[in-house]
Amino acid sequence: MHRVGSAGNTAGSSRPRKEKRFTYVLNDADNKKHCAGINCLSYLNASTSGTSDYLFTGSRDGTLKRWEPKNGVASFSATFESHVDWVNDSIIVGQNLVSCSSDTTLKVWNCLSDGVCTRTLRQHSDYVICLAAAEKNSNIVASGGLGGEVFIWDLDSALAPVAKSVDAKEDEAPNGNSGPALTTLCNVNSSSNLASTNGQSHGYSPIAAKGHKDSVYALAMNDTGNLLVSGGTEKVVRVWDARTGSKKMKLRGHTDNIRALLIDPTGRFCLSGSSDSMIRLWDLGQQRCIHSYAVHTDSVWALASTPSFSHVYSGGRDQSVYVTDLQTRESVLLCSNEHPILQLSLQEDMIWVATTDSSVYGWNSEGRTPSNLYQNGGSFLAGNLSFSRARASVEGSAPVPVNKEPSSIIPGVPAIIQHEILNNRRHVLTKDTAGSVKLWEITRGAVIEDFGKVSFEDKKKELFEMVSIPAWFTMDARLGCLSVHLDTPQCFSAEIYAIDLNVPGAQEDLKINLAQETLREGSSGGPWRKRITDLDGTESDIPWWIVDCVEHNRFPKENTKCGFYLHPAEGSPAPNITQGKLSAPRILRIHKVANYVVEKLDRPLDGNADSTFAMGLTSGQPQFSALDSSSRLGLKPWQKLKPSVLLPEMSLATVRAYVWKKPEDLILNYRVVQSR
């Protein structure tokens, strides 16, 4: 369990505190590894960092990680946690790392920190997909996303502290929410400052480059930061003046979505990769396409060029990385991967490849002298038409890759791709990309059994329990791991007997609220790695009701009762012992109801030790569970159970859900019968 998040207004306001959603992430694997596809790569050279080279990876698991590559091995350095959805792109801007996410935010980090988010920038109305920055201007960043919005940010102005009251923050969004449902997520460890991750860009508005009518998938900026190009689902490359956000031109030629863009250092040439499988080279001065390269057999999603812009490395849906000489059109297959390629980062003689897999692969690229790649043959001339490469592939003339194996691998862990909340509302069954099926205990936030590679459906049927517990949490595996969502007050609707949680020394009737137990377990210094009791109740990332529940034992008392009627069975001489509808906890067991009836009758059953007591439901043909009242063996009235519909360990909620199956109030019948 490694991240927590919440939504709603920050604490400390003079206004009434609003309810919040609380989300935490469960992960039984090594937190030093990604557990979902890698969407982006950024590289910080030692000349800039002043220490070492660093590779930054951003993942669909919602985190960024920093790695230190040395001698072909990349060692883990830090995790950057604050986004609450996929990290879609990242870029180095001076000493800052800027990332964007499907949570609609940009976040700014100190590259060399231990994962501290210094500012959250909010302006986009939908997923933020792509970023661009100027090589020689460490102050300008552009962002684009699914809302058709392109914004150009001045980081100095955006990061400048602006004093503003919490009440004013609340006025900026409906319902006191300054963003989407989940607005803050922090790296929870003993040294982190939770409140510091919730900074916002109040008082500053970026430049808006208006013109896109649909989603923006790719951006690129020249070295000086005065020229910006963008592309997306409109199939055109738009060129902007990055200083003002004004339109300069539109370049037409692609027949499908534009997914990747590059600009040469001078700002004269632009490369574009598209879902039409083509790479195009544009002369921005002439405002036209001067070359088309049919290299791939499917969508082109990633581009990287040599510093001189003489060669382009490209990858995409066909799982292949090609190197193409832009002047001679000569191409060679550098390597083949097992997954579609999402982004490339070329660093001298190594190219890092990000794919939909959770691992990152480094391949020998001959980046200093890419012409060496053509010396061993296997190259081909890139055609002008996309079907030429597709036809060559079909005819069996596909090129042989230069590299058979990567020279470096940063391993990830398998992502969870299937999950099922079991009926007891405490256990969750999961299956990952490796086919491993595991059983999780939600109250503990841990895997309690690994079944290995077995049938998920068969195991789900095997673990089925005929119990009925309210749905007190929701869950998804969008990040490749389990995200558990708690909403107050609904999350406090489920209770269970302590003996069912194996609480040592617990009394038979002791009830435990599952949400409260989960919060206590998670905040006890273990899974969440920061004790709730260490907080003072003003932490912006921890909802006030969490602190109230864990530290003060206060939480909303949800209705956990079940109404039912208790009548003698038709034709039974037993008297009616109740008037009107009864109410009891939903988890009350049938044997408790039976004992209640016996006590109310307040007499031996017909004075006969061989009499039995029975109760059941009036639904069609009455069926009864026989409960022996004999005490000859020292058993309680319900402990000698004969085959029946209502088992003594059934709860009222279970009877209602699986036996009664009607919207009307539950009716239980009892009668006295003679044993044979």
Side-chain angles (χ1 to χ4, degrees), residues 68 72 83 88 144 159 199 266 297 308 312 359 406 472 502-503 513 528 629:
E68 187 175 359
H83 284 297
N88 293 320
L159 299 182
T266 67
T297 59
S308 62
V312 62
S359 299
W472 58 279
N502 299 316
V503 177
N513 187 284
W528 295 349
S629 65

Side-chain angles (χ1 to χ4, degrees), residues 161-189:
V162 177
K164 199 161 188 178
S165 70
V166 174
D167 284 354
K169 292 180 183 180
E170 291 178 0
D171 289 336
E172 295 186 5
N175 302 322
N177 291 332
S178 51
L182 294 179
T183 59
T184 54
L185 197 63
C186 59
N187 177 25
V188 184
N189 55 53

Side-chain angles (χ1 to χ4, degrees), residues 327-384:
Q327 189 65 39
T328 66
R329 309 180 64 83
E330 190 174 10
S331 292
V332 65
L333 176 60
L334 181 69
C335 59
S336 292
N337 293 262
E338 296 181 356
H339 305 275
I341 294 162
L342 300 177
Q343 203 166 93
L344 301 170
S345 178
L346 180 63
Q347 303 301 327
E348 297 184 341
D349 288 336
M350 175 83 79
I351 187 165
W352 293 97
V353 178
T355 73
T356 55
D357 182 39
S358 58
S359 299
V360 181
Y361 303 88
W363 298 82
N364 176 33
S365 64
E366 295 286 352
R368 293 191 183 94
T369 53
S371 56
N372 293 344
L373 296 170
Y374 304 101
Q375 294 179 359
N376 295 326
S379 63
F380 61 93
L381 290 180
N384 288 308

Side-chain angles (χ1 to χ4, degrees), residues 8-13 17-18 20 165-167 169-170 176 178 184 198 200 538-541:
N9 70 312
T10 54
S13 170
R17 296 178 296 183
K18 297 178 175 63
K20 293 184 179 183
S165 70
V166 174
D167 284 354
K169 292 180 183 180
E170 291 178 0
S178 51
T184 54
N198 200 27
Q200 300 181 36
T538 62
E539 302 285 357
S540 63
D541 290 85

Side-chain angles (χ1 to χ4, degrees), residues 121-185:
L121 307 178
R122 294 185 173 91
Q123 194 73 30
H124 285 269
S125 62
D126 208 334
Y127 295 0
V128 192
I129 300 299
C130 50
L131 298 171
E135 184 72 26
K136 295 180 180 178
N137 187 338
S138 60
N139 195 41
I140 304 300
V141 174
S143 59
L146 297 191
E149 301 155 324
V150 175
F151 295 112
I152 302 161
W153 304 80
D154 181 321
L155 284 188
D156 281 350
S157 299
L159 299 182
V162 177
K164 199 161 188 178
S165 70
V166 174
D167 284 354
K169 292 180 183 180
E170 291 178 0
D171 289 336
E172 295 186 5
N175 302 322
N177 291 332
S178 51
L182 294 179
T183 59
T184 54
L185 197 63

Side-chain angles (χ1 to χ4, degrees), residues 469-495:
I469 303 290
W472 58 279
F473 67 92
T474 56
M475 174 175 284
D476 67 69
R478 175 175 167 78
L479 303 182
C481 47
L482 294 179
S483 295
V484 182
H485 313 294
L486 300 180
D487 292 284
T488 182
Q490 304 94 309
C491 65
F492 294 107
S493 62
E495 291 182 332

